[in-house]
Amino acid sequence: QVLLEESGGGLVQAGGSLRLSCTATSGRAFGSNAMGWFRQAPGLEREFLTAIMWSGGNTNYADSVKGRFTISRDNAKNTVYLQMNSLKPEDTAVYICALGIVSSGTAWPPLRVTVWGQGTQVTVSS
């Protein structure tokens, strides 16, 4: 069973930056081809943010974070990163790493999740 370990959350002032990391500790799940990030704020539905494919590095972003957040990967470490810049108070949420499958087509969110991380809290103060 693949486990996802997240780190890097915390408290930051509006306009600041944070970088989240997520490592698949037991290797990639069979059939998976991508990892990504979701977030969930209190009282709201889980929101897809971004995904990146292991091979080729193709990425997808939600409009809410496009231009501010950047996803990257280190295949050798089975790790993905989420660089978050220009953070806003409305970015406050639990950020959840995910492993899964991105397939061609217009489905949204594009990442079909097979393994979820536990989540890491990000709080942006005004």
Side-chain angles (χ1 to χ4, degrees), residues 1-124:
Q1 177 69 27
V2 174
L3 297 178
L4 302 179
E5 294 185 350
E6 299 128 324
S7 62
L11 174 65
V12 63
Q13 288 188 331
S17 299
L18 280 176
R19 190 177 82 151
L20 306 182
S21 300
C22 176
T23 298
T25 60
S26 300
R28 303 176 197 171
F30 179 77
S32 68
N33 65 3
M35 288 182 71
W37 293 91
F38 290 70
R39 69 185 177 189
Q40 189 161 21
L44 299 180
E45 292 186 356
R46 188 166 294 187
E47 176 190 13
F48 169 81
L49 300 179
T50 181
I52 187 167
M53 298 186 72
W54 289 115
S55 177
N58 290 347
T59 58
N60 291 277
Y61 290 94
D63 288 343
S64 58
V65 302
K66 196 174 295 183
R68 298 189 299 125
F69 291 10
T70 302
I71 191 170
S72 60
R73 77 202 193 287
D74 184 334
N75 287 10
K77 296 181 180 179
N78 287 332
T79 298
V80 293
Y81 305 96
L82 182 64
Q83 178 66 43
M84 305 185 293
N85 298 328
S86 302
L87 284 162
K88 307 173 183 178
E90 51 264 44
D91 292 318
T92 295
V94 175
Y95 283 68
I96 307 161
C97 179
L99 176 71
I101 300 167
V102 170
S103 55
S104 60
T106 60
W108 192 266
L111 180 65
R112 182 162 60 87
V113 177
T114 55
V115 180
W116 292 101
Q118 292 295 311
T120 184
Q121 177 70 44
V122 171
T123 302
V124 184

